[in-house]
Amino acid sequence: MNRLKGEGDMPGLTSFILHLASSSMNKYDEIRSIMEGHNIDLRIANIKGEEIQTFSVLKVAERAAETIAQNFQSPLIVEDTGLYVHSLYGFPASYASFVYGTLGPGGILKLLEGREDMTAEFHSAIVYAEGGKILKRFVGISEGKISKEIRGSQGFGFDPIFIPEGSERTFAEMTRTEKNLISHRSKSSKILAEWISGRRAL
Ligand code: IMP
């Protein structure tokens, strides 16, 4: 095979290895499909950082990334998601994981019974660390509303009760490709991928 001199060292030709610290294959699959288009080889690492209690997913992701990066020098991201329901004063926010395991999506619908304002938003915060420290933060937001009932079988978590703005369907009634065109996580992932590509092009 003809190989250009130094080809392996050319950043444009080799893929960039990036680890996602998470145990969630759902998140991994969604972020990976964005990264693929940017020649970024996303791998999952089942490592957990310190989890702090705060409403802000960015603060949660920052602290987790800070603690993981102390023992992980290679490029790494931590992603944290929160669901903010306006008429519930933002609840469950970054506590979405606990609430998913306790009340579940059906419990959120119960809490909203009789309420007019069903608007809500998903926030996805991604924190990038390298060489033991945080270098950059990315946030993606999906605005929308909570549905009246559980609908759809795709996606995960609160997808069956979240209808993104401009759609009649819940995320769980969309394919992953459709969700990835508009979701909070695809927004944070795309700006991350563009930032990595920009750095590599320097
Ligand atoms: P985590 O703390 O970032 O792992 O996410 C909190 C919880 O939110 C998870 O347990 C999921 O149930 C839910 N979740 C995370 N991302 C999404 C999403 O894209 N759609 C719906 N639910 C999600």
Side-chain angles (χ1 to χ4, degrees), residues 24-183:
S24 167
M25 285 308 287
N26 290 306
K27 280 186 183 185
Y28 174 62
D29 287 341
E30 286 186 9
I31 301 174
R32 190 183 49 177
S33 55
I34 304 279
M35 296 298 144
E36 270 168 3
H38 291 80
N39 202 18
I40 299 168
D41 177 3
L42 188 72
R43 302 182 182 177
I44 190 162
N46 195 351
I47 34 179
K48 245 183 168 222
E50 189 186 326
E51 268 182 59
I52 58 166
Q53 308 285 305
T54 157
F55 243 49
S56 157
V57 283
L58 184 56
K59 288 203 175 114
V60 172
E62 273 178 348
R63 185 58 193 146
E66 222 164 54
T67 50
I68 294 169
Q70 286 166 7
N71 302 306
F72 200 99
Q73 299 295 306
S74 310
L76 160 95
I77 52 168
V78 172
E79 195 266 6
D80 200 69
T81 301
L83 173 64
Y84 297 79
V85 180
H86 299 158
S87 66
L88 300 179
Y89 307 98
F91 179 84
S94 62
Y95 306 103
S97 179
F98 174 74
V99 172
Y100 180 78
T102 49
L103 296 176
I108 298 285
L109 296 188
K110 273 215 149 46
L111 289 177
L112 287 172
E113 265 171 22
R115 291 183 196 248
E116 281 196 2
D117 180 10
M118 299 292 271
T119 57
E121 52 198 80
F122 266 120
H123 292 194
S124 160
I126 295 182
V127 174
Y128 178 98
E130 193 186 294
K133 54 179 195 289
I134 292 174
L135 293 193
K136 199 84 181 160
R137 299 143 178 89
F138 308 86
V139 175
I141 296 177
S142 280
E143 295 191 18
K145 63 181 181 197
I146 303 297
S147 57
K148 296 265 181 234
E149 67 282 308
I150 290 176
R151 290 190 345 227
S153 55
Q154 312 207 55
F156 68 104
F158 295 101
D159 281 346
I161 61 165
F162 187 82
I163 303 173
E165 212 168 69
S167 175
E168 295 294 312
R169 291 178 292 157
T170 66
F171 271 150
E173 293 175 302
M174 298 179 182
T175 61
R176 187 165 78 218
T177 310
E178 287 175 320
K179 180 183 172 190
N180 253 357
L181 286 174
I182 52 175
S183 81

